[in-house]
Amino acid sequence: MLGNFSYCNPTRLYFGDNSLEYLNSELKKYGKNVVLVYGGGSAKKNGIYDEVVEILRKSGKNIAEISGVMPNPTVEKLYEGIEIARNHNVDLLLAVGGGSVCDYCKAVSVSVNCDEDPWEKYYINFEEPTCEIIPVGCVLTMVGTGSEMNTGSVITNHKSKLKIGHVFADEKIMPRFSILNPKYTLTLPHYQMVSGIYDIFNHICEQYFSGEDDNTSDYISEGLMKSLINSSRIANRDSQNYEARSNIMWTATWALNTLVAKGKSTDWMVHMIGQAVGAYTDATHGMTLSAVSLPYYRFIMPYGLAKFKRFAVNVWDVDAAGKTDEQVALEGLDAMESWMKELGLVMNITDLGASEDMIEGIANSTLILNGGYKSLNHEEIVQILKQSL
């Protein structure tokens, strides 16, 4: 394992079907003014909202609310939330929802005490906070992003046709605590469940497909992927299987809490291309990733052939006997494709609302990163997008 790094993850996790009972003890650590943040109403329909509000009131908190946080939070919604949080003199931002709500709370947390425009500061210039950061806590209801235990925050600007994620450097931006009750995920529609599953899987891939050394992180990643594949198949047959859903929830957290990135350069180009597609279509995040993944991986496979062969053998149990490295690697990607279709994932961007006349614009909106096996140019991104139609 090569390279030098530091590792610190201060988020306290409470996991299991009784995990909400720990919210009261966490609330004692913060001031009276809490802003409760949630999405489009599912938290109220399934009763989680009422449970959380009751705990907040019994704890003597003054509650303000930011409701209607959309799956791809917009910069306009960010400005609205900043204003509400400032007016409430917020001491704690409490996210009740999925990754988008958690992402959104982190964006608000670094902006409340900052006079600069957060879009320009954090998402265009990628600056770090220079002001006091408001603590964030999460009650997770959908899994996929890993936002419950990292510093990432993705915001969409429809006017600019940009969807940009900022992984902040300051560990204080990580949620101070996250409550993970797998039962809260059981009411998700199938489309959202499998979208989250693929988001988890691709998070691991983005870190796995980089580097050439013998890295402990890769062994952990392979174990996480095999667990996810197994649990996803069980959940796909029976969405109410608690054990499978709990394993998926736990895997989601460890897929993107920075652990398996250690010693890795990491790739993230599937996310960059997928997020650009999302900026144009407002499609569900995990589905934008599934729609572009295979064309991307088949394109870069020759540049990282040894790792793609290892992926085929160690994750998909491909028998390498009597085959070339390329044959083995391609067979692994074919197995991945079969699994994706088995789950019912979207396999092309056309089904998400993208069209050929959008390709140039999407490519222009794609941030190019250099951590993977091939640094793409604009023309190569266009080629991958055309293969994704």
Side-chain angles (χ1 to χ4, degrees), residues 144-150 196-197 199-208 220-221 224-225 228 248-261 268:
T145 69
S147 191
E148 67 274 9
M149 203 179 187
N150 65 42
I197 287 169
D199 194 16
I200 301 164
F201 190 81
N202 189 248
H203 286 160
I204 304 169
C205 288
E206 297 276 35
Q207 298 161 95
Y208 181 76
I220 298 171
S221 291
L224 290 171
M225 285 189 277
L228 183 64
I248 291 167
M249 183 175 238
W250 193 233
T251 302
T253 300
W254 289 94
L256 200 60
N257 66 359
T258 75
L259 176 70
V260 297
W268 297 110

PDB file of all heavy atoms in Angstrom, residues 144-150 196-197 199-208 220-221 224-225 228 248-261 268:
ATOM      1  N   GLY A 144     -27.656   5.366  -0.162  1.00  0.00           N
ATOM      2  CA  GLY A 144     -27.001   5.436  -1.462  1.00  0.00           C
ATOM      3  C   GLY A 144     -25.814   6.365  -1.466  1.00  0.00           C
ATOM      4  O   GLY A 144     -24.712   5.994  -1.851  1.00  0.00           O
ATOM      5  N   THR A 145     -26.021   7.585  -1.007  1.00  0.00           N
ATOM      6  CA  THR A 145     -24.993   8.606  -1.189  1.00  0.00           C
ATOM      7  C   THR A 145     -23.841   8.511  -0.197  1.00  0.00           C
ATOM      8  O   THR A 145     -22.753   8.999  -0.469  1.00  0.00           O
ATOM      9  CB  THR A 145     -25.596  10.013  -1.066  1.00  0.00           C
ATOM     10  OG1 THR A 145     -25.981  10.246   0.286  1.00  0.00           O
ATOM     11  CG2 THR A 145     -26.803  10.179  -1.985  1.00  0.00           C
ATOM     12  N   GLY A 146     -24.086   7.931   0.977  1.00  0.00           N
ATOM     13  CA  GLY A 146     -23.072   7.950   2.025  1.00  0.00           C
ATOM     14  C   GLY A 146     -22.926   9.305   2.679  1.00  0.00           C
ATOM     15  O   GLY A 146     -22.015   9.525   3.482  1.00  0.00           O
ATOM     16  N   SER A 147     -23.828  10.218   2.356  1.00  0.00           N
ATOM     17  CA  SER A 147     -23.729  11.587   2.867  1.00  0.00           C
ATOM     18  C   SER A 147     -23.832  11.655   4.376  1.00  0.00           C
ATOM     19  O   SER A 147     -23.445  12.647   4.995  1.00  0.00           O
ATOM     20  CB  SER A 147     -24.816  12.461   2.229  1.00  0.00           C
ATOM     21  OG  SER A 147     -24.616  13.824   2.489  1.00  0.00           O
ATOM     22  N   GLU A 148     -24.338  10.587   4.987  1.00  0.00           N
ATOM     23  CA  GLU A 148     -24.477  10.544   6.438  1.00  0.00           C
ATOM     24  C   GLU A 148     -23.150  10.460   7.169  1.00  0.00           C
ATOM     25  O   GLU A 148     -23.104  10.628   8.384  1.00  0.00           O
ATOM     26  CB  GLU A 148     -25.354   9.352   6.848  1.00  0.00           C
ATOM     27  CG  GLU A 148     -24.762   7.986   6.575  1.00  0.00           C
ATOM     28  CD  GLU A 148     -25.020   7.455   5.177  1.00  0.00           C
ATOM     29  OE1 GLU A 148     -25.520   8.221   4.326  1.00  0.00           O
ATOM     30  OE2 GLU A 148     -24.729   6.258   4.933  1.00  0.00           O
ATOM     31  N   MET A 149     -22.035  10.224   6.430  1.00  0.00           N
ATOM     32  CA  MET A 149     -20.745  10.072   7.102  1.00  0.00           C
ATOM     33  C   MET A 149     -19.606  10.625   6.251  1.00  0.00           C
ATOM     34  O   MET A 149     -18.498  10.106   6.267  1.00  0.00           O
ATOM     35  CB  MET A 149     -20.494   8.602   7.441  1.00  0.00           C
ATOM     36  CG  MET A 149     -19.514   8.380   8.580  1.00  0.00           C
ATOM     37  SD  MET A 149     -19.313   6.603   8.929  1.00  0.00           S
ATOM     38  CE  MET A 149     -18.307   6.692  10.418  1.00  0.00           C
ATOM     39  N   ASN A 150     -19.894  11.692   5.502  1.00  0.00           N
ATOM     40  CA  ASN A 150     -18.832  12.331   4.727  1.00  0.00           C
ATOM     41  C   ASN A 150     -19.078  13.826   4.618  1.00  0.00           C
ATOM     42  O   ASN A 150     -20.072  14.347   5.144  1.00  0.00           O
ATOM     43  CB  ASN A 150     -18.676  11.678   3.343  1.00  0.00           C
ATOM     44  CG  ASN A 150     -19.896  11.853   2.452  1.00  0.00           C
ATOM     45  OD1 ASN A 150     -20.502  12.910   2.378  1.00  0.00           O
ATOM     46  ND2 ASN A 150     -20.246  10.793   1.738  1.00  0.00           N
ATOM     47  N   GLY A 196     -30.489   3.718  -5.496  1.00  0.00           N
ATOM     48  CA  GLY A 196     -29.569   3.864  -4.370  1.00  0.00           C
ATOM     49  C   GLY A 196     -28.543   2.749  -4.330  1.00  0.00           C
ATOM     50  O   GLY A 196     -27.366   2.983  -4.033  1.00  0.00           O
ATOM     51  N   ILE A 197     -28.977   1.542  -4.654  1.00  0.00           N
ATOM     52  CA  ILE A 197     -28.048   0.404  -4.661  1.00  0.00           C
ATOM     53  C   ILE A 197     -26.945   0.644  -5.681  1.00  0.00           C
ATOM     54  O   ILE A 197     -25.762   0.407  -5.403  1.00  0.00           O
ATOM     55  CB  ILE A 197     -28.805  -0.902  -4.956  1.00  0.00           C
ATOM     56  CG1 ILE A 197     -29.644  -1.313  -3.733  1.00  0.00           C
ATOM     57  CG2 ILE A 197     -27.839  -2.021  -5.354  1.00  0.00           C
ATOM     58  CD1 ILE A 197     -30.628  -2.433  -3.999  1.00  0.00           C
ATOM     59  N   ASP A 199     -25.920   3.509  -6.853  1.00  0.00           N
ATOM     60  CA  ASP A 199     -25.097   4.625  -6.379  1.00  0.00           C
ATOM     61  C   ASP A 199     -24.012   4.099  -5.431  1.00  0.00           C
ATOM     62  O   ASP A 199     -22.843   4.474  -5.524  1.00  0.00           O
ATOM     63  CB  ASP A 199     -25.978   5.654  -5.673  1.00  0.00           C
ATOM     64  CG  ASP A 199     -25.283   6.988  -5.438  1.00  0.00           C
ATOM     65  OD1 ASP A 199     -24.247   7.249  -6.064  1.00  0.00           O
ATOM     66  OD2 ASP A 199     -25.814   7.783  -4.636  1.00  0.00           O
ATOM     67  N   ILE A 200     -24.407   3.211  -4.529  1.00  0.00           N
ATOM     68  CA  ILE A 200     -23.450   2.610  -3.603  1.00  0.00           C
ATOM     69  C   ILE A 200     -22.363   1.862  -4.376  1.00  0.00           C
ATOM     70  O   ILE A 200     -21.157   2.046  -4.138  1.00  0.00           O
ATOM     71  CB  ILE A 200     -24.160   1.618  -2.655  1.00  0.00           C
ATOM     72  CG1 ILE A 200     -25.247   2.298  -1.839  1.00  0.00           C
ATOM     73  CG2 ILE A 200     -23.147   0.937  -1.734  1.00  0.00           C
ATOM     74  CD1 ILE A 200     -26.233   1.328  -1.185  1.00  0.00           C
ATOM     75  N   PHE A 201     -22.796   1.018  -5.302  1.00  0.00           N
ATOM     76  CA  PHE A 201     -21.854   0.195  -6.054  1.00  0.00           C
ATOM     77  C   PHE A 201     -20.866   1.069  -6.825  1.00  0.00           C
ATOM     78  O   PHE A 201     -19.653   0.811  -6.828  1.00  0.00           O
ATOM     79  CB  PHE A 201     -22.607  -0.717  -7.021  1.00  0.00           C
ATOM     80  CG  PHE A 201     -21.751  -1.774  -7.662  1.00  0.00           C
ATOM     81  CD1 PHE A 201     -21.443  -2.936  -6.978  1.00  0.00           C
ATOM     82  CD2 PHE A 201     -21.264  -1.611  -8.947  1.00  0.00           C
ATOM     83  CE1 PHE A 201     -20.648  -3.924  -7.561  1.00  0.00           C
ATOM     84  CE2 PHE A 201     -20.472  -2.579  -9.537  1.00  0.00           C
ATOM     85  CZ  PHE A 201     -20.159  -3.743  -8.840  1.00  0.00           C
ATOM     86  N   ASN A 202     -21.379   2.121  -7.438  1.00  0.00           N
ATOM     87  CA  ASN A 202     -20.488   2.961  -8.231  1.00  0.00           C
ATOM     88  C   ASN A 202     -19.543   3.787  -7.365  1.00  0.00           C
ATOM     89  O   ASN A 202     -18.411   4.065  -7.772  1.00  0.00           O
ATOM     90  CB  ASN A 202     -21.280   3.869  -9.165  1.00  0.00           C
ATOM     91  CG  ASN A 202     -20.388   4.583 -10.144  1.00  0.00           C
ATOM     92  OD1 ASN A 202     -20.219   5.801 -10.085  1.00  0.00           O
ATOM     93  ND2 ASN A 202     -19.770   3.830 -11.053  1.00  0.00           N
ATOM     94  N   HIS A 203     -19.982   4.160  -6.174  1.00  0.00           N
ATOM     95  CA  HIS A 203     -19.055   4.825  -5.252  1.00  0.00           C
ATOM     96  C   HIS A 203     -17.818   3.959  -5.012  1.00  0.00           C
ATOM     97  O   HIS A 203     -16.689   4.449  -4.991  1.00  0.00           O
ATOM     98  CB  HIS A 203     -19.736   5.108  -3.914  1.00  0.00           C
ATOM     99  CG  HIS A 203     -20.721   6.221  -3.963  1.00  0.00           C
ATOM    100  ND1 HIS A 203     -21.708   6.370  -3.030  1.00  0.00           N
ATOM    101  CD2 HIS A 203     -20.878   7.242  -4.834  1.00  0.00           C
ATOM    102  CE1 HIS A 203     -22.440   7.430  -3.318  1.00  0.00           C
ATOM    103  NE2 HIS A 203     -21.948   7.974  -4.412  1.00  0.00           N
ATOM    104  N   ILE A 204     -18.063   2.665  -4.821  1.00  0.00           N
ATOM    105  CA  ILE A 204     -16.935   1.769  -4.586  1.00  0.00           C
ATOM    106  C   ILE A 204     -16.068   1.672  -5.845  1.00  0.00           C
ATOM    107  O   ILE A 204     -14.844   1.742  -5.782  1.00  0.00           O
ATOM    108  CB  ILE A 204     -17.423   0.381  -4.144  1.00  0.00           C
ATOM    109  CG1 ILE A 204     -18.328   0.499  -2.905  1.00  0.00           C
ATOM    110  CG2 ILE A 204     -16.235  -0.523  -3.827  1.00  0.00           C
ATOM    111  CD1 ILE A 204     -19.063  -0.780  -2.543  1.00  0.00           C
ATOM    112  N   CYS A 205     -16.715   1.526  -6.996  1.00  0.00           N
ATOM    113  CA  CYS A 205     -15.977   1.420  -8.258  1.00  0.00           C
ATOM    114  C   CYS A 205     -15.114   2.654  -8.502  1.00  0.00           C
ATOM    115  O   CYS A 205     -13.972   2.539  -8.982  1.00  0.00           O
ATOM    116  CB  CYS A 205     -16.948   1.258  -9.431  1.00  0.00           C
ATOM    117  SG  CYS A 205     -17.770  -0.344  -9.524  1.00  0.00           S
ATOM    118  N   GLU A 206     -15.634   3.816  -8.202  1.00  0.00           N
ATOM    119  CA  GLU A 206     -14.904   5.060  -8.466  1.00  0.00           C
ATOM    120  C   GLU A 206     -13.579   5.100  -7.710  1.00  0.00           C
ATOM    121  O   GLU A 206     -12.615   5.725  -8.160  1.00  0.00           O
ATOM    122  CB  GLU A 206     -15.758   6.272  -8.070  1.00  0.00           C
ATOM    123  CG  GLU A 206     -17.056   6.453  -8.841  1.00  0.00           C
ATOM    124  CD  GLU A 206     -16.874   7.176 -10.168  1.00  0.00           C
ATOM    125  OE1 GLU A 206     -15.832   6.984 -10.821  1.00  0.00           O
ATOM    126  OE2 GLU A 206     -17.787   7.918 -10.550  1.00  0.00           O
ATOM    127  N   GLN A 207     -13.539   4.451  -6.572  1.00  0.00           N
ATOM    128  CA  GLN A 207     -12.310   4.425  -5.771  1.00  0.00           C
ATOM    129  C   GLN A 207     -11.446   3.208  -6.133  1.00  0.00           C
ATOM    130  O   GLN A 207     -10.221   3.287  -6.168  1.00  0.00           O
ATOM    131  CB  GLN A 207     -12.689   4.423  -4.282  1.00  0.00           C
ATOM    132  CG  GLN A 207     -13.449   5.693  -3.897  1.00  0.00           C
ATOM    133  CD  GLN A 207     -14.238   5.569  -2.606  1.00  0.00           C
ATOM    134  OE1 GLN A 207     -13.740   5.943  -1.541  1.00  0.00           O
ATOM    135  NE2 GLN A 207     -15.447   5.055  -2.677  1.00  0.00           N
ATOM    136  N   TYR A 208     -12.099   2.111  -6.434  1.00  0.00           N
ATOM    137  CA  TYR A 208     -11.417   0.857  -6.752  1.00  0.00           C
ATOM    138  C   TYR A 208     -10.626   0.954  -8.058  1.00  0.00           C
ATOM    139  O   TYR A 208      -9.480   0.488  -8.138  1.00  0.00           O
ATOM    140  CB  TYR A 208     -12.479  -0.230  -6.849  1.00  0.00           C
ATOM    141  CG  TYR A 208     -11.996  -1.625  -7.154  1.00  0.00           C
ATOM    142  CD1 TYR A 208     -11.383  -2.412  -6.182  1.00  0.00           C
ATOM    143  CD2 TYR A 208     -12.211  -2.189  -8.418  1.00  0.00           C
ATOM    144  CE1 TYR A 208     -10.983  -3.713  -6.457  1.00  0.00           C
ATOM    145  CE2 TYR A 208     -11.817  -3.483  -8.702  1.00  0.00           C
ATOM    146  CZ  TYR A 208     -11.204  -4.244  -7.725  1.00  0.00           C
ATOM    147  OH  TYR A 208     -10.804  -5.533  -8.003  1.00  0.00           O
ATOM    148  N   ILE A 220     -10.930  -4.462   0.751  1.00  0.00           N
ATOM    149  CA  ILE A 220     -12.155  -4.041   1.449  1.00  0.00           C
ATOM    150  C   ILE A 220     -13.254  -3.750   0.435  1.00  0.00           C
ATOM    151  O   ILE A 220     -14.414  -4.150   0.601  1.00  0.00           O
ATOM    152  CB  ILE A 220     -11.883  -2.797   2.321  1.00  0.00           C
ATOM    153  CG1 ILE A 220     -10.845  -3.106   3.394  1.00  0.00           C
ATOM    154  CG2 ILE A 220     -13.174  -2.297   2.959  1.00  0.00           C
ATOM    155  CD1 ILE A 220     -10.365  -1.878   4.157  1.00  0.00           C
ATOM    156  N   SER A 221     -12.897  -3.055  -0.641  1.00  0.00           N
ATOM    157  CA  SER A 221     -13.870  -2.708  -1.674  1.00  0.00           C
ATOM    158  C   SER A 221     -14.494  -3.952  -2.293  1.00  0.00           C
ATOM    159  O   SER A 221     -15.709  -4.002  -2.535  1.00  0.00           O
ATOM    160  CB  SER A 221     -13.210  -1.859  -2.763  1.00  0.00           C
ATOM    161  OG  SER A 221     -12.880  -0.580  -2.279  1.00  0.00           O
ATOM    162  N   LEU A 224     -17.050  -5.362   0.068  1.00  0.00           N
ATOM    163  CA  LEU A 224     -18.256  -4.536   0.072  1.00  0.00           C
ATOM    164  C   LEU A 224     -19.094  -4.770  -1.178  1.00  0.00           C
ATOM    165  O   LEU A 224     -20.329  -4.871  -1.109  1.00  0.00           O
ATOM    166  CB  LEU A 224     -17.879  -3.059   0.182  1.00  0.00           C
ATOM    167  CG  LEU A 224     -17.305  -2.588   1.522  1.00  0.00           C
ATOM    168  CD1 LEU A 224     -16.785  -1.153   1.397  1.00  0.00           C
ATOM    169  CD2 LEU A 224     -18.338  -2.674   2.638  1.00  0.00           C
ATOM    170  N   MET A 225     -18.435  -4.863  -2.335  1.00  0.00           N
ATOM    171  CA  MET A 225     -19.178  -5.092  -3.578  1.00  0.00           C
ATOM    172  C   MET A 225     -19.867  -6.447  -3.568  1.00  0.00           C
ATOM    173  O   MET A 225     -21.044  -6.558  -3.965  1.00  0.00           O
ATOM    174  CB  MET A 225     -18.245  -4.957  -4.783  1.00  0.00           C
ATOM    175  CG  MET A 225     -17.875  -3.522  -5.110  1.00  0.00           C
ATOM    176  SD  MET A 225     -16.992  -3.300  -6.688  1.00  0.00           S
ATOM    177  CE  MET A 225     -15.311  -3.673  -6.180  1.00  0.00           C
ATOM    178  N   LEU A 228     -22.878  -6.294  -1.337  1.00  0.00           N
ATOM    179  CA  LEU A 228     -23.951  -5.503  -1.944  1.00  0.00           C
ATOM    180  C   LEU A 228     -24.657  -6.283  -3.052  1.00  0.00           C
ATOM    181  O   LEU A 228     -25.894  -6.241  -3.152  1.00  0.00           O
ATOM    182  CB  LEU A 228     -23.378  -4.197  -2.500  1.00  0.00           C
ATOM    183  CG  LEU A 228     -24.398  -3.230  -3.113  1.00  0.00           C
ATOM    184  CD1 LEU A 228     -25.385  -2.740  -2.059  1.00  0.00           C
ATOM    185  CD2 LEU A 228     -23.694  -2.041  -3.759  1.00  0.00           C
ATOM    186  N   ILE A 248     -27.423  -3.443   3.061  1.00  0.00           N
ATOM    187  CA  ILE A 248     -27.301  -2.403   2.026  1.00  0.00           C
ATOM    188  C   ILE A 248     -27.046  -1.046   2.671  1.00  0.00           C
ATOM    189  O   ILE A 248     -26.190  -0.274   2.225  1.00  0.00           O
ATOM    190  CB  ILE A 248     -28.558  -2.381   1.138  1.00  0.00           C
ATOM    191  CG1 ILE A 248     -28.633  -3.655   0.288  1.00  0.00           C
ATOM    192  CG2 ILE A 248     -28.576  -1.137   0.244  1.00  0.00           C
ATOM    193  CD1 ILE A 248     -29.972  -3.871  -0.387  1.00  0.00           C
ATOM    194  N   MET A 249     -27.767  -0.756   3.738  1.00  0.00           N
ATOM    195  CA  MET A 249     -27.603   0.526   4.433  1.00  0.00           C
ATOM    196  C   MET A 249     -26.189   0.671   4.992  1.00  0.00           C
ATOM    197  O   MET A 249     -25.560   1.726   4.864  1.00  0.00           O
ATOM    198  CB  MET A 249     -28.642   0.648   5.546  1.00  0.00           C
ATOM    199  CG  MET A 249     -28.616   1.974   6.286  1.00  0.00           C
ATOM    200  SD  MET A 249     -29.976   2.111   7.489  1.00  0.00           S
ATOM    201  CE  MET A 249     -30.790   3.592   6.898  1.00  0.00           C
ATOM    202  N   TRP A 250     -25.685  -0.396   5.601  1.00  0.00           N
ATOM    203  CA  TRP A 250     -24.347  -0.350   6.207  1.00  0.00           C
ATOM    204  C   TRP A 250     -23.268  -0.246   5.130  1.00  0.00           C
ATOM    205  O   TRP A 250     -22.292   0.490   5.283  1.00  0.00           O
ATOM    206  CB  TRP A 250     -24.154  -1.573   7.083  1.00  0.00           C
ATOM    207  CG  TRP A 250     -22.968  -1.533   8.002  1.00  0.00           C
ATOM    208  CD1 TRP A 250     -21.991  -2.473   8.108  1.00  0.00           C
ATOM    209  CD2 TRP A 250     -22.647  -0.532   8.976  1.00  0.00           C
ATOM    210  NE1 TRP A 250     -21.075  -2.127   9.087  1.00  0.00           N
ATOM    211  CE2 TRP A 250     -21.464  -0.929   9.638  1.00  0.00           C
ATOM    212  CE3 TRP A 250     -23.254   0.668   9.361  1.00  0.00           C
ATOM    213  CZ2 TRP A 250     -20.860  -0.177  10.636  1.00  0.00           C
ATOM    214  CZ3 TRP A 250     -22.661   1.427  10.364  1.00  0.00           C
ATOM    215  CH2 TRP A 250     -21.478   1.004  10.989  1.00  0.00           C
ATOM    216  N   THR A 251     -23.453  -0.972   4.036  1.00  0.00           N
ATOM    217  CA  THR A 251     -22.498  -0.900   2.928  1.00  0.00           C
ATOM    218  C   THR A 251     -22.454   0.506   2.346  1.00  0.00           C
ATOM    219  O   THR A 251     -21.380   1.015   1.999  1.00  0.00           O
ATOM    220  CB  THR A 251     -22.866  -1.913   1.832  1.00  0.00           C
ATOM    221  OG1 THR A 251     -22.891  -3.226   2.380  1.00  0.00           O
ATOM    222  CG2 THR A 251     -21.860  -1.879   0.692  1.00  0.00           C
ATOM    223  N   ALA A 252     -23.611   1.145   2.218  1.00  0.00           N
ATOM    224  CA  ALA A 252     -23.666   2.501   1.668  1.00  0.00           C
ATOM    225  C   ALA A 252     -22.791   3.461   2.458  1.00  0.00           C
ATOM    226  O   ALA A 252     -22.084   4.302   1.888  1.00  0.00           O
ATOM    227  CB  ALA A 252     -25.108   3.001   1.652  1.00  0.00           C
ATOM    228  N   THR A 253     -22.831   3.331   3.769  1.00  0.00           N
ATOM    229  CA  THR A 253     -22.043   4.222   4.617  1.00  0.00           C
ATOM    230  C   THR A 253     -20.552   4.002   4.408  1.00  0.00           C
ATOM    231  O   THR A 253     -19.783   4.954   4.250  1.00  0.00           O
ATOM    232  CB  THR A 253     -22.416   3.996   6.091  1.00  0.00           C
ATOM    233  OG1 THR A 253     -23.811   4.263   6.276  1.00  0.00           O
ATOM    234  CG2 THR A 253     -21.607   4.899   7.005  1.00  0.00           C
ATOM    235  N   TRP A 254     -20.122   2.750   4.382  1.00  0.00           N
ATOM    236  CA  TRP A 254     -18.701   2.445   4.268  1.00  0.00           C
ATOM    237  C   TRP A 254     -18.182   2.599   2.847  1.00  0.00           C
ATOM    238  O   TRP A 254     -16.973   2.677   2.625  1.00  0.00           O
ATOM    239  CB  TRP A 254     -18.416   1.058   4.836  1.00  0.00           C
ATOM    240  CG  TRP A 254     -18.571   1.110   6.320  1.00  0.00           C
ATOM    241  CD1 TRP A 254     -19.681   0.801   7.036  1.00  0.00           C
ATOM    242  CD2 TRP A 254     -17.602   1.591   7.251  1.00  0.00           C
ATOM    243  NE1 TRP A 254     -19.466   1.050   8.382  1.00  0.00           N
ATOM    244  CE2 TRP A 254     -18.199   1.533   8.531  1.00  0.00           C
ATOM    245  CE3 TRP A 254     -16.300   2.057   7.142  1.00  0.00           C
ATOM    246  CZ2 TRP A 254     -17.527   1.930   9.686  1.00  0.00           C
ATOM    247  CZ3 TRP A 254     -15.633   2.449   8.295  1.00  0.00           C
ATOM    248  CH2 TRP A 254     -16.242   2.379   9.546  1.00  0.00           C
ATOM    249  N   ALA A 255     -19.095   2.667   1.898  1.00  0.00           N
ATOM    250  CA  ALA A 255     -18.676   2.888   0.510  1.00  0.00           C
ATOM    251  C   ALA A 255     -18.159   4.298   0.283  1.00  0.00           C
ATOM    252  O   ALA A 255     -17.360   4.517  -0.640  1.00  0.00           O
ATOM    253  CB  ALA A 255     -19.845   2.612  -0.430  1.00  0.00           C
ATOM    254  N   LEU A 256     -18.604   5.252   1.114  1.00  0.00           N
ATOM    255  CA  LEU A 256     -18.211   6.638   0.838  1.00  0.00           C
ATOM    256  C   LEU A 256     -17.989   7.447   2.114  1.00  0.00           C
ATOM    257  O   LEU A 256     -18.375   8.610   2.198  1.00  0.00           O
ATOM    258  CB  LEU A 256     -19.251   7.325  -0.055  1.00  0.00           C
ATOM    259  CG  LEU A 256     -18.760   8.564  -0.809  1.00  0.00           C
ATOM    260  CD1 LEU A 256     -17.591   8.240  -1.730  1.00  0.00           C
ATOM    261  CD2 LEU A 256     -19.882   9.205  -1.602  1.00  0.00           C
ATOM    262  N   ASN A 257     -17.374   6.826   3.110  1.00  0.00           N
ATOM    263  CA  ASN A 257     -16.989   7.598   4.295  1.00  0.00           C
ATOM    264  C   ASN A 257     -15.483   7.833   4.322  1.00  0.00           C
ATOM    265  O   ASN A 257     -14.918   8.124   5.359  1.00  0.00           O
ATOM    266  CB  ASN A 257     -17.470   6.913   5.575  1.00  0.00           C
ATOM    267  CG  ASN A 257     -16.791   5.588   5.828  1.00  0.00           C
ATOM    268  OD1 ASN A 257     -15.958   5.133   5.054  1.00  0.00           O
ATOM    269  ND2 ASN A 257     -17.141   4.951   6.927  1.00  0.00           N
ATOM    270  N   THR A 258     -14.857   7.710   3.168  1.00  0.00           N
ATOM    271  CA  THR A 258     -13.444   7.962   2.856  1.00  0.00           C
ATOM    272  C   THR A 258     -12.533   6.783   3.193  1.00  0.00           C
ATOM    273  O   THR A 258     -11.358   6.815   2.840  1.00  0.00           O
ATOM    274  CB  THR A 258     -12.876   9.243   3.512  1.00  0.00           C
ATOM    275  OG1 THR A 258     -12.642   9.052   4.913  1.00  0.00           O
ATOM    276  CG2 THR A 258     -13.813  10.433   3.308  1.00  0.00           C
ATOM    277  N   LEU A 259     -13.036   5.723   3.830  1.00  0.00           N
ATOM    278  CA  LEU A 259     -12.174   4.609   4.226  1.00  0.00           C
ATOM    279  C   LEU A 259     -11.505   3.949   3.021  1.00  0.00           C
ATOM    280  O   LEU A 259     -10.284   3.793   2.975  1.00  0.00           O
ATOM    281  CB  LEU A 259     -12.971   3.563   5.004  1.00  0.00           C
ATOM    282  CG  LEU A 259     -12.176   2.317   5.389  1.00  0.00           C
ATOM    283  CD1 LEU A 259     -11.142   2.634   6.460  1.00  0.00           C
ATOM    284  CD2 LEU A 259     -13.107   1.204   5.860  1.00  0.00           C
ATOM    285  N   VAL A 260     -12.306   3.540   2.010  1.00  0.00           N
ATOM    286  CA  VAL A 260     -11.723   2.782   0.894  1.00  0.00           C
ATOM    287  C   VAL A 260     -11.035   3.679  -0.128  1.00  0.00           C
ATOM    288  O   VAL A 260     -10.497   3.188  -1.124  1.00  0.00           O
ATOM    289  CB  VAL A 260     -12.776   1.888   0.202  1.00  0.00           C
ATOM    290  CG1 VAL A 260     -13.307   0.848   1.165  1.00  0.00           C
ATOM    291  CG2 VAL A 260     -13.899   2.692  -0.418  1.00  0.00           C
ATOM    292  N   ALA A 261     -11.019   4.980   0.137  1.00  0.00           N
ATOM    293  CA  ALA A 261     -10.258   5.893  -0.720  1.00  0.00           C
ATOM    294  C   ALA A 261      -8.807   6.017  -0.269  1.00  0.00           C
ATOM    295  O   ALA A 261      -7.981   6.594  -0.994  1.00  0.00           O
ATOM    296  CB  ALA A 261     -10.909   7.279  -0.728  1.00  0.00           C
ATOM    297  N   TRP A 268     -13.820   8.882 -10.286  1.00  0.00           N
ATOM    298  CA  TRP A 268     -14.973   9.777 -10.191  1.00  0.00           C
ATOM    299  C   TRP A 268     -15.473  10.328 -11.517  1.00  0.00           C
ATOM    300  O   TRP A 268     -16.321  11.211 -11.542  1.00  0.00           O
ATOM    301  CB  TRP A 268     -14.717  10.934  -9.199  1.00  0.00           C
ATOM    302  CG  TRP A 268     -14.521  10.423  -7.821  1.00  0.00           C
ATOM    303  CD1 TRP A 268     -13.349  10.404  -7.103  1.00  0.00           C
ATOM    304  CD2 TRP A 268     -15.503   9.773  -7.001  1.00  0.00           C
ATOM    305  NE1 TRP A 268     -13.544   9.783  -5.895  1.00  0.00           N
ATOM    306  CE2 TRP A 268     -14.843   9.388  -5.798  1.00  0.00           C
ATOM    307  CE3 TRP A 268     -16.846   9.476  -7.171  1.00  0.00           C
ATOM    308  CZ2 TRP A 268     -15.516   8.734  -4.770  1.00  0.00           C
ATOM    309  CZ3 TRP A 268     -17.511   8.820  -6.149  1.00  0.00           C
ATOM    310  CH2 TRP A 268     -16.849   8.458  -4.957  1.00  0.00           C
TER     311      TRP A 268
END
